[in-house]
Amino acid sequence: MPAMHLKIIQYLKSAEGFVSGEDISRELGVSRSAVWKCIEDLRQEGYKVEAVPHHGYKLAALPDRLIAWEVQHNLGTRKFGCAVHHFAEIGSTMDEAFRLGMSGAPEGTVVAAELQTKGRGRLGRAWVSPGGSGLYFSLLLRPKLSTAEAARLTLLSSVALSEAVEKCSGVSALIKWPNDLLLGGRKLAGILTELRAEVDRVDFAVVGIGLNVNTAHKELPPEATSLKNESGQGYSRVAILQEFLRTFERRYLVLAKQGFGPALEEWRKRSATIGRRVRFEERGHKFEGLATGLADDGGLMVQLDNKQTVKRMAGDVIVELKDKKV
Ligand code: BTN
Protein backbone atom coordinates (compact mmCIF):
# COMPACT_ATOMS: atom_id res chain seq x y z
CA MET A 1 0.00 0.00 0.00
CA PRO A 2 1.40 3.48 -0.81
CA ALA A 3 2.97 5.39 2.10
CA MET A 4 0.34 8.15 1.97
CA HIS A 5 -2.50 5.64 2.46
CA LEU A 6 -0.69 4.07 5.42
CA LYS A 7 -0.19 7.48 7.00
CA ILE A 8 -3.89 8.27 6.62
CA ILE A 9 -4.94 4.95 8.19
CA GLN A 10 -2.51 5.55 11.04
CA TYR A 11 -3.83 9.07 11.53
CA LEU A 12 -7.46 7.90 11.51
CA LYS A 13 -6.65 5.01 13.87
CA SER A 14 -5.00 7.30 16.39
CA ALA A 15 -7.81 9.90 16.26
CA GLU A 16 -10.65 9.86 18.73
CA GLY A 17 -13.83 10.55 16.77
CA PHE A 18 -13.90 12.60 13.57
CA VAL A 19 -10.95 14.42 12.03
CA SER A 20 -11.37 17.07 9.38
CA GLY A 21 -9.97 16.68 5.87
CA GLU A 22 -8.21 19.98 6.45
CA ASP A 23 -6.37 18.65 9.53
CA ILE A 24 -5.29 15.53 7.66
CA SER A 25 -4.07 17.53 4.65
CA ARG A 26 -2.13 19.95 6.91
CA GLU A 27 -0.63 17.15 9.00
CA LEU A 28 0.50 15.15 5.96
CA GLY A 29 1.33 18.09 3.71
CA VAL A 30 -0.96 17.09 0.82
CA SER A 31 -4.03 18.65 -0.79
CA ARG A 32 -7.53 17.95 0.47
CA SER A 33 -8.43 16.35 -2.84
CA ALA A 34 -5.45 13.98 -2.46
CA VAL A 35 -6.78 13.02 1.00
CA TRP A 36 -10.22 12.40 -0.47
CA LYS A 37 -8.73 10.25 -3.24
CA CYS A 38 -6.77 8.15 -0.69
CA ILE A 39 -9.90 7.66 1.40
CA GLU A 40 -11.75 6.39 -1.68
CA ASP A 41 -8.91 3.90 -2.30
CA LEU A 42 -9.05 2.74 1.33
CA ARG A 43 -12.79 2.15 1.01
CA GLN A 44 -12.07 -0.02 -2.02
CA GLU A 45 -9.69 -2.05 0.19
CA GLY A 46 -12.53 -2.62 2.66
CA TYR A 47 -11.84 0.12 5.24
CA LYS A 48 -15.12 1.63 6.40
CA VAL A 49 -14.53 5.37 6.55
CA GLU A 50 -17.46 7.54 7.56
CA ALA A 51 -17.60 11.08 6.13
CA VAL A 52 -19.84 13.72 7.72
CA PRO A 53 -19.99 17.30 6.39
CA HIS A 54 -18.37 19.82 8.81
CA HIS A 55 -17.00 16.98 10.98
CA GLY A 56 -14.70 15.14 8.65
CA TYR A 57 -13.70 11.47 8.54
CA LYS A 58 -13.87 8.62 11.04
CA LEU A 59 -12.56 5.07 10.74
CA ALA A 60 -15.62 2.96 11.57
CA ALA A 61 -14.32 -0.54 10.78
CA LEU A 62 -11.18 -2.27 9.58
CA PRO A 63 -11.35 -4.82 6.79
CA ASP A 64 -10.84 -8.45 7.75
CA ARG A 65 -8.71 -8.88 4.67
CA LEU A 66 -5.25 -10.40 4.83
CA ILE A 67 -3.55 -7.30 3.45
CA ALA A 68 0.08 -6.79 4.42
CA TRP A 69 -0.47 -3.61 6.36
CA GLU A 70 -3.13 -5.14 8.65
CA VAL A 71 -1.24 -8.41 9.15
CA GLN A 72 1.99 -6.59 10.01
CA HIS A 73 0.36 -3.99 12.26
CA ASN A 74 1.41 -4.73 15.90
CA LEU A 75 2.63 -8.17 14.81
CA GLY A 76 5.77 -8.08 16.94
CA THR A 77 7.63 -10.97 15.26
CA ARG A 78 11.23 -10.81 14.11
CA LYS A 79 10.98 -12.87 10.93
CA PHE A 80 7.60 -14.39 10.35
CA GLY A 81 5.37 -12.05 8.38
CA CYS A 82 8.36 -9.85 7.37
CA ALA A 83 6.84 -9.85 3.87
CA VAL A 84 3.16 -10.52 3.19
CA HIS A 85 2.00 -11.02 -0.40
CA HIS A 86 -1.77 -10.70 -0.53
CA PHE A 87 -4.01 -11.84 -3.38
CA ALA A 88 -7.74 -11.26 -3.79
CA GLU A 89 -7.76 -14.43 -5.88
CA ILE A 90 -5.07 -16.97 -6.73
CA GLY A 91 -4.78 -20.55 -8.02
CA SER A 92 -2.87 -21.79 -4.97
CA THR A 93 -0.75 -19.86 -2.45
CA MET A 94 1.64 -22.87 -2.53
CA ASP A 95 2.70 -22.14 -6.11
CA GLU A 96 3.34 -18.46 -5.44
CA ALA A 97 5.29 -19.20 -2.24
CA PHE A 98 7.34 -21.80 -4.13
CA ARG A 99 8.07 -19.28 -6.85
CA LEU A 100 9.18 -16.75 -4.21
CA GLY A 101 11.31 -19.45 -2.57
CA MET A 102 13.09 -20.11 -5.88
CA SER A 103 13.77 -16.42 -6.36
CA GLY A 104 15.45 -16.07 -2.96
CA ALA A 105 12.67 -14.53 -0.84
CA PRO A 106 13.49 -14.49 2.88
CA GLU A 107 12.36 -16.99 5.47
CA GLY A 108 9.08 -15.89 7.04
CA THR A 109 7.55 -14.63 3.79
CA VAL A 110 3.78 -15.16 3.76
CA VAL A 111 1.51 -15.59 0.75
CA ALA A 112 -2.14 -15.13 1.68
CA ALA A 113 -5.29 -15.16 -0.42
CA GLU A 114 -8.95 -14.33 0.03
CA LEU A 115 -9.93 -17.06 -2.42
CA GLN A 116 -8.14 -19.96 -4.12
CA THR A 117 -9.38 -21.44 -7.37
CA LYS A 118 -7.02 -24.44 -7.22
CA GLY A 119 -6.42 -24.90 -3.50
CA ARG A 120 -4.77 -28.27 -2.95
CA GLY A 121 -4.44 -30.66 -0.06
CA ARG A 122 -2.40 -33.78 0.65
CA LEU A 123 -2.51 -36.84 -1.58
CA GLY A 124 -3.76 -34.89 -4.59
CA ARG A 125 -6.99 -33.78 -2.92
CA ALA A 126 -8.54 -30.35 -3.53
CA TRP A 127 -8.85 -27.79 -0.73
CA VAL A 128 -12.18 -25.98 -0.95
CA SER A 129 -11.33 -22.27 -0.53
CA PRO A 130 -14.40 -20.01 -0.81
CA GLY A 131 -13.82 -16.24 -0.83
CA GLY A 132 -13.30 -14.11 2.27
CA SER A 133 -14.39 -16.63 4.89
CA GLY A 134 -11.41 -18.95 5.37
CA LEU A 135 -7.75 -18.44 6.08
CA TYR A 136 -5.54 -19.66 3.22
CA PHE A 137 -1.84 -18.96 3.38
CA SER A 138 1.61 -20.39 2.77
CA LEU A 139 4.71 -19.70 4.80
CA LEU A 140 8.23 -19.88 3.37
CA LEU A 141 10.83 -21.56 5.59
CA ARG A 142 14.55 -22.10 5.17
CA PRO A 143 15.19 -24.57 7.99
CA LYS A 144 18.47 -26.28 8.77
CA LEU A 145 16.94 -29.73 8.55
CA SER A 146 17.60 -32.89 6.61
CA THR A 147 14.79 -34.13 4.38
CA ALA A 148 14.19 -36.94 6.90
CA GLU A 149 13.53 -34.32 9.59
CA ALA A 150 11.17 -32.21 7.46
CA ALA A 151 8.03 -33.92 8.85
CA ARG A 152 8.77 -31.93 12.00
CA LEU A 153 7.63 -28.76 10.25
CA THR A 154 4.13 -30.14 9.72
CA LEU A 155 3.83 -31.24 13.33
CA LEU A 156 5.21 -27.94 14.58
CA SER A 157 2.68 -26.09 12.42
CA SER A 158 -0.24 -28.16 13.69
CA VAL A 159 0.74 -27.41 17.30
CA ALA A 160 1.16 -23.67 16.60
CA LEU A 161 -2.15 -23.54 14.72
CA SER A 162 -4.05 -25.35 17.47
CA GLU A 163 -2.54 -22.96 20.05
CA ALA A 164 -3.31 -19.86 17.96
CA VAL A 165 -6.92 -20.92 17.34
CA GLU A 166 -7.38 -21.56 21.05
CA LYS A 167 -5.93 -18.19 22.01
CA CYS A 168 -8.07 -16.24 19.51
CA SER A 169 -11.36 -18.12 19.89
CA GLY A 170 -11.21 -20.14 23.11
CA VAL A 171 -11.96 -23.21 20.98
CA SER A 172 -9.78 -26.30 21.59
CA ALA A 173 -9.16 -28.05 18.29
CA LEU A 174 -7.47 -31.46 18.49
CA ILE A 175 -4.75 -32.63 16.11
CA LYS A 176 -5.35 -35.67 13.95
CA TRP A 177 -2.01 -37.19 12.96
CA PRO A 178 -0.14 -35.84 11.20
CA ASN A 179 -1.67 -32.59 10.01
CA ASP A 180 -5.37 -32.03 10.49
CA LEU A 181 -7.16 -29.98 13.12
CA LEU A 182 -10.49 -31.43 14.21
CA LEU A 183 -13.43 -29.83 15.91
CA GLY A 184 -16.39 -31.92 16.99
CA GLY A 185 -14.89 -34.80 14.98
CA ARG A 186 -14.90 -32.76 11.74
CA LYS A 187 -12.02 -31.26 9.81
CA LEU A 188 -11.37 -27.64 10.75
CA ALA A 189 -7.94 -27.15 9.18
CA GLY A 190 -5.37 -28.90 7.02
CA ILE A 191 -1.63 -28.43 6.60
CA LEU A 192 0.42 -29.23 3.53
CA THR A 193 4.22 -29.13 3.55
CA GLU A 194 6.10 -29.06 0.25
CA LEU A 195 9.89 -29.10 -0.05
CA ARG A 196 12.65 -28.19 -2.36
CA ALA A 197 15.58 -30.32 -1.33
CA GLU A 198 19.13 -31.02 -2.45
CA VAL A 199 20.33 -34.58 -1.88
CA ASP A 200 19.35 -34.89 1.80
CA ARG A 201 19.21 -31.23 2.85
CA VAL A 202 16.11 -29.03 2.74
CA ASP A 203 16.73 -26.01 0.53
CA PHE A 204 13.41 -24.45 1.45
CA ALA A 205 10.01 -25.59 2.63
CA VAL A 206 6.55 -24.15 2.08
CA VAL A 207 3.98 -24.83 4.79
CA GLY A 208 0.44 -24.24 3.52
CA ILE A 209 -2.43 -23.82 5.94
CA GLY A 210 -6.13 -23.84 5.26
CA LEU A 211 -8.38 -22.99 8.23
CA ASN A 212 -12.15 -22.76 7.95
CA VAL A 213 -12.86 -19.66 10.03
CA ASN A 214 -16.22 -18.11 9.14
CA THR A 215 -17.14 -20.49 6.32
CA ALA A 216 -20.81 -21.50 6.10
CA HIS A 217 -21.56 -25.22 6.37
CA LYS A 218 -23.09 -25.31 2.88
CA GLU A 219 -19.83 -24.11 1.34
CA LEU A 220 -17.77 -26.90 2.89
CA PRO A 221 -17.47 -30.63 2.18
CA PRO A 222 -19.67 -32.71 4.53
CA GLU A 223 -16.72 -33.95 6.62
CA ALA A 224 -15.51 -30.39 7.30
CA THR A 225 -16.54 -27.65 9.69
CA SER A 226 -15.59 -24.07 10.56
CA LEU A 227 -14.98 -22.15 13.77
CA LYS A 228 -18.16 -20.18 13.16
CA ASN A 229 -20.21 -23.32 12.55
CA GLU A 230 -19.16 -24.86 15.83
CA SER A 231 -19.20 -21.80 18.08
CA GLY A 232 -21.90 -19.67 16.41
CA GLN A 233 -19.50 -16.73 16.38
CA GLY A 234 -17.36 -15.06 13.69
CA TYR A 235 -13.62 -14.44 14.15
CA SER A 236 -11.00 -12.13 12.66
CA ARG A 237 -8.86 -14.00 10.16
CA VAL A 238 -6.19 -11.32 10.46
CA ALA A 239 -5.99 -11.82 14.24
CA ILE A 240 -5.68 -15.62 13.85
CA LEU A 241 -2.96 -15.29 11.20
CA GLN A 242 -1.02 -12.86 13.40
CA GLU A 243 -1.30 -15.16 16.42
CA PHE A 244 -0.20 -18.13 14.32
CA LEU A 245 2.89 -16.25 13.12
CA ARG A 246 3.83 -15.27 16.68
CA THR A 247 3.31 -18.78 18.04
CA PHE A 248 5.05 -20.43 15.11
CA GLU A 249 8.07 -18.13 15.45
CA ARG A 250 8.42 -18.97 19.16
CA ARG A 251 8.18 -22.69 18.49
CA TYR A 252 10.55 -22.52 15.49
CA LEU A 253 13.21 -20.84 17.65
CA VAL A 254 12.74 -23.48 20.35
CA LEU A 255 13.09 -26.18 17.68
CA ALA A 256 16.45 -24.72 16.60
CA LYS A 257 17.74 -24.32 20.18
CA GLN A 258 16.26 -27.24 22.13
CA GLY A 259 15.24 -29.71 19.43
CA PHE A 260 11.87 -31.25 18.71
CA GLY A 261 11.04 -32.41 22.27
CA PRO A 262 8.93 -29.43 23.48
CA ALA A 263 6.75 -29.44 20.34
CA LEU A 264 6.25 -33.22 20.55
CA GLU A 265 5.15 -32.91 24.17
CA GLU A 266 2.51 -30.32 23.25
CA TRP A 267 1.48 -32.34 20.20
CA ARG A 268 0.81 -35.39 22.41
CA LYS A 269 -1.41 -33.30 24.73
CA ARG A 270 -3.48 -32.06 21.80
CA SER A 271 -3.67 -35.37 19.93
CA ALA A 272 -6.97 -36.78 18.69
CA THR A 273 -5.24 -39.88 17.31
CA ILE A 274 -3.36 -41.49 20.18
CA GLY A 275 -5.53 -44.10 21.86
CA ARG A 276 -7.65 -44.69 18.75
CA ARG A 277 -7.85 -47.63 16.40
CA VAL A 278 -6.35 -47.00 12.97
CA ARG A 279 -6.06 -48.84 9.70
CA PHE A 280 -3.48 -48.63 6.91
CA GLU A 281 -2.45 -50.54 3.85
CA GLU A 282 1.01 -51.70 2.83
CA ARG A 283 1.83 -53.52 -0.38
CA GLY A 284 -1.78 -54.59 -0.80
CA HIS A 285 -2.15 -55.87 2.81
CA LYS A 286 -4.54 -54.24 5.28
CA PHE A 287 -3.40 -53.69 8.87
CA GLU A 288 -5.37 -52.58 11.93
CA GLY A 289 -4.19 -51.61 15.35
CA LEU A 290 -4.08 -49.10 18.17
CA ALA A 291 -2.23 -45.77 17.83
CA THR A 292 -0.12 -45.83 20.99
CA GLY A 293 2.15 -42.83 20.70
CA LEU A 294 4.33 -40.46 18.75
CA ALA A 295 7.97 -41.32 18.08
CA ASP A 296 10.67 -38.69 18.53
CA ASP A 297 10.86 -38.15 14.76
CA GLY A 298 7.09 -37.51 14.54
CA GLY A 299 6.18 -41.00 13.32
CA LEU A 300 2.98 -42.60 14.63
CA MET A 301 3.48 -45.77 16.71
CA VAL A 302 0.83 -48.40 16.04
CA GLN A 303 0.39 -51.61 17.99
CA LEU A 304 -1.01 -54.10 15.50
CA ASP A 305 -3.57 -56.68 16.51
CA ASN A 306 -0.83 -59.34 16.39
CA LYS A 307 0.92 -57.27 19.14
CA GLN A 308 3.76 -56.20 16.85
CA THR A 309 4.52 -52.44 17.06
CA VAL A 310 5.24 -50.51 13.86
CA LYS A 311 6.01 -46.90 13.04
CA ARG A 312 4.19 -45.02 10.29
CA MET A 313 5.55 -41.80 8.82
CA ALA A 314 3.65 -38.74 7.58
CA GLY A 315 2.73 -39.41 3.98
CA ASP A 316 1.39 -42.89 4.73
CA VAL A 317 -2.36 -43.19 4.44
CA ILE A 318 -3.80 -43.87 7.86
CA VAL A 319 -7.55 -44.17 8.42
CA GLU A 320 -8.92 -43.67 11.90
CA LEU A 321 -11.72 -46.11 12.64
CA LYS A 322 -14.50 -43.92 14.02
CA ASP A 323 -16.91 -46.61 15.14
CA LYS A 324 -14.44 -48.58 17.25
CA LYS A 325 -13.45 -46.16 19.99
CA VAL A 326 -11.23 -47.55 22.72
C1 BTN B 1 -4.81 -31.13 3.69
O1 BTN B 1 -5.47 -31.26 4.72
O2 BTN B 1 -4.84 -31.99 2.80
C2 BTN B 1 -3.94 -29.91 3.54
C3 BTN B 1 -4.72 -28.71 3.07
C4 BTN B 1 -3.86 -27.48 2.88
C5 BTN B 1 -4.63 -26.32 2.30
C6 BTN B 1 -3.84 -25.05 2.24
S1 BTN B 1 -4.81 -23.63 1.88
C7 BTN B 1 -3.38 -22.66 1.68
C8 BTN B 1 -2.39 -23.52 0.94
N1 BTN B 1 -2.65 -23.44 -0.50
C9 BTN B 1 -3.06 -24.60 -1.00
O3 BTN B 1 -3.32 -24.79 -2.20
N2 BTN B 1 -3.09 -25.53 -0.06
C10 BTN B 1 -2.70 -25.00 1.24
Side-chain angles (χ1 to χ4, degrees):
M1 193 178 299
M4 182 56 58
H5 294 65
L6 296 182
K7 282 186 185 158
I8 291 186
I9 299 169
Q10 223 152 12
Y11 195 72
L12 291 174
K13 273 187 179 174
S14 64
E16 281 171 20
F18 283 91
V19 279
S20 71
E22 201 177 328
D23 282 352
I24 303 176
S25 75
R26 196 179 325 108
E27 186 70 23
L28 304 184
V30 292
S31 69
R32 284 182 67 175
S33 65
V35 171
W36 179 83
K37 168 82 182 54
C38 283
I39 295 220
E40 281 308 299
D41 292 346
L42 291 174
R43 285 180 174 143
Q44 293 294 319
E45 282 284 358
Y47 289 85
K48 235 175 152 183
V49 185
E50 284 176 15
V52 174
H54 310 299
H55 282 83
Y57 300 107
K58 185 172 128 181
L59 190 56
L62 299 172
D64 189 32
R65 282 162 64 82
L66 307 162
I67 46 184
W69 159 253
E70 288 302 331
V71 175
Q72 290 172 330
H73 188 67
N74 290 337
L75 181 59
T77 55
R78 270 195 284 165
K79 257 193 194 176
F80 291 84
C82 57
V84 177
H85 299 258
H86 172 249
F87 294 84
E89 183 178 325
I90 200 169
S92 164
T93 57
M94 299 305 283
D95 297 334
E96 181 60 17
F98 220 85
R99 198 189 61 71
L100 286 162
M102 298 290 284
S103 63
E107 177 163 77
T109 296
V110 172
V111 178
E114 301 297 318
L115 182 152
Q116 293 185 119
T117 52
K118 288 198 180 117
R120 61 173 178 269
R122 285 171 68 234
L123 311 165
R125 295 189 197 113
W127 183 260
V128 177
S129 318
S133 55
L135 189 51
Y136 321 116
F137 67 96
S138 296
L139 179 62
L140 178 65
L141 303 172
R142 297 189 181 278
K144 291 187 178 63
L145 293 177
S146 67
T147 40
E149 292 167 329
R152 296 176 173 193
L153 299 174
T154 307
L155 272 93
L156 198 75
S157 307
S158 61
V159 169
L161 188 63
S162 169
E163 290 176 317
V165 164
E166 190 169 312
K167 180 139 186 217
C168 293
S169 67
V171 168
S172 300
L174 293 177
I175 306 170
K176 180 181 168 197
W177 186 86
N179 70 332
D180 291 350
L181 247 56
L182 299 185
L183 198 51
R186 292 195 170 153
K187 185 153 166 166
L188 177 71
I191 299 170
L192 175 68
T193 306
E194 293 180 347
L195 300 178
R196 185 185 149 91
E198 281 158 22
V199 196
D200 71 340
R201 192 184 61 86
V202 175
D203 182 10
F204 65 80
V206 173
V207 171
I209 294 190
L211 171 71
N212 303 321
V213 181
N214 301 319
T215 325
H217 194 55
K218 61 177 188 320
E219 291 194 279
L220 290 170
E223 70 283 2
T225 192
S226 71
L227 277 175
K228 189 171 182 180
N229 261 341
E230 298 295 320
S231 69
Q233 216 182 307
Y235 297 95
S236 157
R237 294 172 307 139
V238 170
I240 298 175
L241 174 55
Q242 288 181 317
E243 195 50 40
F244 172 80
L245 294 171
R246 292 182 195 114
T247 313
F248 188 88
E249 181 164 289
R250 267 198 308 276
R251 291 222 163 263
Y252 195 68
L253 287 173
V254 171
L255 174 73
K257 283 194 186 135
Q258 297 170 35
F260 197 31
L264 276 180
E265 206 179 305
E266 193 57 39
W267 194 98
R268 289 183 181 114
K269 285 188 203 150
R270 293 171 183 264
S271 168
T273 303
I274 293 169
R276 300 201 62 136
R277 286 191 65 80
V278 295
R279 180 173 61 210
F280 61 90
E281 264 187 58
E282 195 171 75
R283 289 189 222 111
H285 295 286
K286 287 192 169 71
F287 296 90
E288 271 193 39
L290 180 67
T292 52
L294 197 66
D296 286 350
D297 59 2
L300 185 70
M301 303 306 296
V302 180
Q303 188 179 62
L304 300 177
D305 292 344
N306 66 9
K307 296 290 174 244
Q308 190 195 346
T309 296
V310 293
K311 184 167 77 176
R312 311 304 302 172
M313 291 312 290
D316 295 351
V317 180
I318 290 256
V319 179
E320 284 186 25
L321 302 174
K322 287 205 171 71
D323 48 347
K324 282 194 193 169
K325 275 195 193 149
V326 284

